[in-house]
Amino acid sequence: MGNTDRVIRVVMAIIFAILYFTNIIGGTMGIVLLVLAAVLLLTSLVAFCPLYALLGFSTCPAKRI
């Protein structure tokens, strides 16, 4: 996972958390966003996305030899 992808995931997680904790979005949709925020933050911290691996997709720049 590339750095840009990781930063975008962290920013999205922060936005989702803010929307939930300020009661802008609540109820079931708020819980879904909070869980999604946790998943985005976790995948960003470990720099691995299982969905990307499953689909064979990578945002990490190729290493030069």
Side-chain angles (χ1 to χ4, degrees):
M1 181 181 301
N3 287 334
T4 304
D5 191 10
R6 293 174 71 184
V7 169
I8 290 171
R9 286 171 182 260
V10 169
V11 169
M12 287 176 53
I14 291 169
I15 291 170
F16 291 166
I18 288 171
L19 289 174
Y20 178 76
F21 289 116
T22 59
N23 291 324
I24 294 173
I25 296 179
T28 304
M29 184 57 134
I31 298 295
V32 169
L33 280 181
L34 198 58
V35 169
L36 184 58
V39 170
L40 289 172
L41 190 60
L42 179 66
T43 58
S44 178
L45 291 175
V46 297
F48 177 75
C49 180
L51 186 60
Y52 282 5
L54 182 66
L55 298 174
F57 184 73
S58 175
T59 59
C60 187
K63 294 181 181 179
R64 297 179 191 202
I65 297 175

